[in-house]
Amino acid sequence: MELTSNSPPPDNTSSFILCPTVATLFLIPSTYTLLFLAALPGNALSLWVFCRCIPSVSPVHVYLSHLSASNLMSALTMPFLAAYYALGSIWPLRSVPCWLVLHLITPQLHINIYISLIILTLVAISRYAALIQNTQAPRPNTRSTLVPYRFFACLKRTSFARRMGAVVWVLAVGGIVPVTLYYSVKEATAGTDGDAGGGGVGVCYSPPVELGGRLSAAFTAPLMIVFFVFYLLVLLCYMIVLRHIRRSRRSTNVPTSHILLGRVLRNIVIIQVVLSVCLLPYHIFKPIFLSLAHHPHQPTFSPQPNMCHPLSALIELKNFLLLLAALRGATDPLMYFMLDKTFRSETRRLLRCNKTDPGGRQMFWSVTGSQSAGQAVDVKVETVDSGDNDVL
C-alpha cells in the first residue's frame, strides 16, 4: 500500500473495517462471561447482606451498598458485551442487539466506573476521619484533617451517607447519559446508513462505533480530569493515614492497637492496588487513544475498500483495558469479605446452613432482618469489638 503524504486525514471511517483478532472474538467475550458468573451472585449477596443482615449499619456500609447495587446493574450488561465482541462484526447496525449495546449497555458501563470511583473516594475520606477521631481528641486538630470539621462530623452520620449516595447517582447519570446518548444516536451511526457489504458499513462493531466522534472525545477530557482528581485524593488520603498509623505505632504500647493498625495498613494496600490495576490503565490510555484517533499527525494510507483500520490493534487494547475496569465490579465482593469484619461475619452466618454462632446459640432472622433477643447481646459485644476493625 502506498503512503500519500498530501492526502487529508481519513475522516470517513466507513472506508475502513475493523479486523478483530482472537482476542476480540474469543478472549474478551469469554472473560466477560466469567465475570458475569462471578459478579452477579457476588454482588447480589453483598447487597442483601448490607441491606438486610447487618444489624447496625455504618456510613461505610451505606456507601458499599450503593456500590454493590451499581456493580449488580453492571453485571447484567456483561452477557450483552460478550455477545457484542463475539458477534458485533456481523450484527447489522440497526439490529436490536446493537441498539441495546449502544443505548443501554454503554451508558451503564461508564456510569458504574464513575460511581465506583466517587464512592471509594467517600469511603477513603470516611475511614480517614474515623481513624483520626478514634486516635485523637474529640475535636481533631485542623492541621491533621483534610476536610473542615463540620464535614468531618457529617461523615459519621448514616443519614449523610444516604444523601451522598443519592447525589453520586444523580451526578453520574446526569453527566454521562446525555453524552452517551448523543454518541449512540449521532456519532456511532454517522456515515453508516448503507448495507453491510462495503467497507464494514452498517455493522455494529465498526470504526464509527468504536471511535465515536469529536464531541464525545472532547467530553472525555473533563472525565479524565475528574478521575485523576479523585484518584489522587484517595492516594493522598491513604498516604496521610499511613503516616498517622506509623506515628501511632511509635507512640502506643497497646497490643490490640498494633493489630488494628496492621490491619489498616493491609486494607490501604489492597484498595489502592484494586484502583490502580483496574481503573488507572484505562484512564491513562483513553486520552492517548482518542488523540491518535481524532488528531492524526502522520501520513495516512489512501482509503481502499475493505481495508483494515490502522487503529484496529489499539481499539482491541482499549477494549481490553475497559474489561479490566469492569473486572473491579466482580472482585469487589471479595474485597468486602477481606477488609470488613462485619460483612465477613454476617456473610458466613448467612451462608451457614445451621446458622449457629460459635457459642452454640441458634440465630433466627425475620423477613425484615431483625434478630432474636438472645442474639442481641452477641451483636452488641461484636459491635464493640469490631468497631475499630471495620476500617475499609
Side-chain angles (χ1 to χ4, degrees), residues 138-326:
R139 186 180 181 93
N141 190 334
T142 55
R143 292 178 299 177
S144 64
T145 61
L146 290 174
V147 295
Y149 177 73
R150 289 186 178 181
F151 185 68
F152 187 92
C154 289
L155 292 172
K156 300 181 293 182
R157 302 173 186 168
T158 303
S159 58
F160 177 80
R162 298 185 192 279
R163 289 195 296 269
M164 287 301 298
V167 169
V168 168
W169 280 92
V170 170
L171 290 177
V173 174
I176 292 176
V177 167
V179 177
T180 53
L181 286 180
Y182 179 85
Y183 149 79
S184 60
V185 172
K186 294 291 186 180
E187 298 178 344
T189 58
T192 57
D193 294 327
D195 60 308
V201 176
V203 297
C204 197
Y205 185 73
S206 59
V209 172
E210 288 295 321
L211 298 176
R214 294 185 180 273
L215 181 62
S216 60
F219 181 74
T220 301
L223 279 182
M224 297 301 108
I225 294 174
V226 168
F227 170 80
F228 283 106
V229 167
F230 278 92
Y231 179 82
L232 293 177
L233 181 60
V234 173
L235 184 61
L236 175 63
C237 182
Y238 281 132
M239 287 178 63
I240 294 177
V241 171
L242 183 62
R243 184 178 63 179
H244 175 77
I245 290 172
R246 288 174 177 173
R247 290 179 178 176
S248 299
R249 276 186 163 179
R250 290 195 297 265
S251 62
T252 182
N253 295 317
V254 182
T256 56
S257 297
H258 288 294
I259 296 174
L260 169 63
L261 296 176
R263 185 177 294 111
V264 173
L265 283 174
R266 182 198 65 186
N267 294 353
I268 293 172
V269 172
I270 292 176
I271 295 176
Q272 200 63 53
V273 166
V274 169
L275 288 176
S276 300
V277 171
C278 295
L279 296 182
L280 185 60
Y282 175 76
H283 287 86
I284 291 177
F285 179 75
K286 187 70 179 289
I288 300 173
F289 171 77
L290 291 177
S291 176
L292 294 175
H294 297 286
H295 303 283
H297 300 291
Q298 296 182 0
T300 57
F301 294 106
S302 57
Q304 297 178 9
N306 297 326
M307 185 175 69
C308 289
H309 196 283
L311 297 180
S312 291
L314 292 181
I315 288 173
E316 290 191 318
L317 177 58
K318 182 257 300 181
N319 293 333
F320 176 77
L321 296 179
L322 187 61
L323 173 62
L324 276 183

Side-chain angles (χ1 to χ4, degrees), residues 98-115:
C98 188
W99 185 92
L100 289 174
V101 169
L102 292 179
H103 293 79
L104 297 179
I105 308 305
T106 299
Q108 172 56 38
L109 185 61
H110 289 85
I111 287 172
N112 174 257
I113 289 176
Y114 293 100
I115 283 181

Side-chain angles (χ1 to χ4, degrees), residues 79-102 105 196 200-206:
F80 296 95
L81 288 170
Y84 165 72
Y85 289 114
L87 305 173
S89 56
I90 61 175
W91 280 352
L93 183 65
R94 305 295 182 181
S95 63
V96 173
C98 188
W99 185 92
L100 289 174
V101 169
L102 292 179
I105 308 305
V201 176
V203 297
C204 197
Y205 185 73
S206 59

Side-chain angles (χ1 to χ4, degrees), residues 20-55:
T21 65
V22 66
T24 296
L25 296 176
F26 178 76
L27 181 60
I28 294 180
S30 301
T31 307
Y32 270 117
T33 302
L34 294 176
L35 290 182
F36 168 74
L37 296 176
L40 184 65
N43 285 287
L45 176 64
S46 300
L47 187 61
W48 178 264
V49 171
F50 286 130
C51 295
R52 310 291 289 184
C53 297
I54 295 180

